[in-house]
Amino acid sequence: MNISSALLPDLIDAVADTIASHAEEVTALDQAIGDGDHLINLQRGLNALMAQSDELAELAWPIAWQKIGMTMMSTIGGASGSLFGTLFVAMSKAARELPLNQTGFAEIFMEAVNAVKQRGKSDIGEKTLLDVLCPVADYLQTAVAENVELATLLTELDKVAIAGMETTRDMLATKGRAAFLDERSRGHIDAGAKTTQLMIAAVVEVLLAA
Ligand code: ADP
Ligand code: MG
C-alpha cells in the first residue's frame, strides 16, 4: 500500500467527523476533571486543518506534518495544542533522518512521542494523552520488527489505542489540570486520551479502506 499525503483531506475529515460525533462525551470528560474546553480547542484546530487540507494534500509527508503541527500549535490552544503540535512537528523533524517506510515510520512516531513527553514533562501512567500515544508507539515498533502485515497491524493498533485510553480511567492524574483534583481524578477517562484514541481509530479506518 502506498500511503500518499493525497489521503490527508480524507484523514482530516474522518478525524473531524469522529470528534464531532463524540462531542458531548469528550466535553463531559474534560468537565469532570478539567475545564471543559478540550473539545472546542481541538475542533478549532481541526477546522483550521480542514481549510488547509487541499494544500496539505500536495505536500510531501514531512512538510505536511510540519504544517499540521504549526497549525495545531497556533489554533488549538490549551495544553493539548502544544502537545499535539509537538507530535507533528517532531515527526517532521525525525523524518529528515529516516526513510518513509514502515520501519522508518515506527521510529519517526517513537521520536515524536518522546518529544511530547519532553514538552509535557510527563510520561505514561499520568492520565494523559500519552497513555494512548506510548503504547501505540511501542506496538508500532514491535509490529514492524515482526513484519506484521499492514491490515493486521492497523487493526491491532486500534485495539492498543482503546486499551491505552481505558487505562486512564483508574489512574491518578499527576499532570495537567486534573492533577489539582488528586484522588478525585480517579474514575474518569482522560479527555485527551479519549480524543487521541478517536483520532487514531479514524486514521486506521481511512487507511484500511485506502
Ligand atoms: P487545558 O488542560 O489547558 O484546558 P485541553 O483541555 O485542550 O487543555 O487538553 C487537556 C488534555 O491535555 C488532557 O486531557 C491531557 O490528556 C493533556 N495534557 C495536559 N497536560 C499534559 C501534560 N503535561 N502532558 C501530557 N498531556 C497533557
Ligand atoms: Mg481543558
Side-chain angles (χ1 to χ4, degrees):
M1 187 203 282
N2 172 30
I3 302 178
S4 152
S5 59
L7 282 174
L8 271 168
D10 286 350
L11 288 167
I12 295 167
D13 284 352
V15 164
D17 282 352
T18 190
I19 295 300
S21 58
H22 292 83
E24 281 178 30
E25 185 186 350
V26 170
T27 295
L29 292 176
D30 197 36
Q31 275 169 347
I33 55 170
D35 58 356
D37 63 349
H38 182 59
L39 178 91
I40 308 287
N41 290 343
L42 188 55
Q43 286 190 319
R44 201 166 43 238
L46 293 171
N47 287 337
L49 290 178
M50 280 195 282
Q52 293 172 352
S53 68
D54 289 342
E55 199 185 326
L56 289 168
E58 303 289 323
L59 303 174
W61 277 115
I63 316 277
W65 288 330
Q66 171 76 19
K67 197 169 167 66
I68 290 169
M70 297 305 285
T71 299
M72 288 180 124
M73 278 186 196
S74 64
T75 56
I76 299 181
S80 62
S82 79
L83 296 168
F84 287 136
T86 295
L87 182 77
F88 285 95
V89 170
M91 278 169 64
S92 175
K93 197 169 159 217
R96 285 187 218 150
E97 317 280 331
L98 290 158
L100 282 177
N101 54 24
Q102 288 185 30
T103 313
F105 182 79
E107 188 57 36
I108 288 168
F109 195 76
M110 181 62 83
E111 286 189 25
V113 171
N114 286 333
V116 173
K117 288 185 191 179
Q118 282 181 7
R119 170 53 65 111
K121 297 188 175 56
S122 51
D123 209 332
I124 190 167
E126 298 195 87
K127 203 180 181 88
T128 72
L129 43 83
L130 281 167
D131 293 306
V132 174
L133 292 178
C134 293
V136 162
D138 287 342
Y139 174 74
L140 263 177
Q141 286 210 319
T142 310
V144 298
E146 291 172 0
N147 276 320
V148 174
E149 181 248 337
L150 186 60
T152 311
L153 179 155
L154 290 167
T155 308
E156 286 304 310
L157 202 67
D158 190 33
K159 293 185 194 158
V160 168
I162 293 170
M165 175 271 290
E166 291 285 354
T167 64
T168 66
R169 189 191 304 273
D170 296 325
M171 281 179 190
L172 180 72
T174 48
K175 290 286 153 60
R177 290 178 198 280
F180 297 124
L181 295 177
D182 198 36
E183 281 295 333
R184 281 175 295 141
S185 66
R186 284 197 214 270
H188 303 275
I189 286 169
D190 172 64
K194 180 70 198 177
T195 57
T196 302
Q197 177 267 314
L198 289 171
M199 293 193 273
I200 289 169
V203 168
V204 163
E205 205 179 316
V206 171
L207 294 183
L208 282 175

